[in-house]
Amino acid sequence: MSEVALADYLDDEGRVTRWPARRNKAAGQKLILEYLATKFEAGRTYTEKEVNAILKQFHTFEDWALLRRELFENGYLNREKDGSTYWATPNTRHL
């Protein structure tokens, strides 16, 4: 089996073109999440709308909600319980 590379998921403009849907594609999902997490500044807070806007810039398959949820559930972003504010900090868990 070949090694998964981030370039396999990016277009020429650095946008994610697809989300690996199968669980056996976990390595690809991790690469994508790590890449997207770099688009958020530690110590800054973001509204959900701002998070969506950033994610829209860096993917082409129109599912920013999936990406936002995955970033949170996998510890790349933290958020308030009501989802009103998001942030990345040095303590944000990066797998």
Side-chain angles (χ1 to χ4, degrees):
M1 186 173 187
S2 64
E3 188 173 316
V4 177
L6 180 59
D8 296 338
Y9 299 99
L10 300 180
D11 66 11
D12 292 339
E13 296 178 32
R15 297 175 301 180
V16 178
T17 59
R18 62 192 171 92
W19 179 250
R22 295 188 181 143
R23 283 294 145 204
N24 63 356
K25 299 289 185 179
Q29 291 176 358
K30 182 179 177 189
L31 286 172
I32 291 167
L33 293 175
E34 288 172 348
Y35 172 70
L36 292 173
T38 68
K39 308 305 178 189
F40 297 91
E41 298 174 37
R44 179 175 169 202
T45 58
Y46 299 87
T47 64
E48 183 176 297
K49 185 176 180 178
E50 291 171 321
V51 171
N52 291 344
I54 291 167
L55 294 174
K56 286 177 187 180
Q57 291 177 48
F58 293 100
H59 85 289
T60 63
F61 56 89
E62 297 296 315
D63 198 348
W64 55 88
L66 165 77
L67 297 173
R68 186 185 66 239
R69 183 176 59 250
E70 292 290 333
L71 284 164
F72 170 71
E73 289 179 358
N74 286 280
Y76 292 93
L77 289 179
N78 292 317
R79 72 170 190 202
E80 294 293 337
K81 278 189 171 189
D82 65 2
S84 62
T85 307
Y86 290 76
W87 64 94
T89 70
N91 296 325
T92 300
R93 181 174 53 118
H94 289 201
L95 304 176

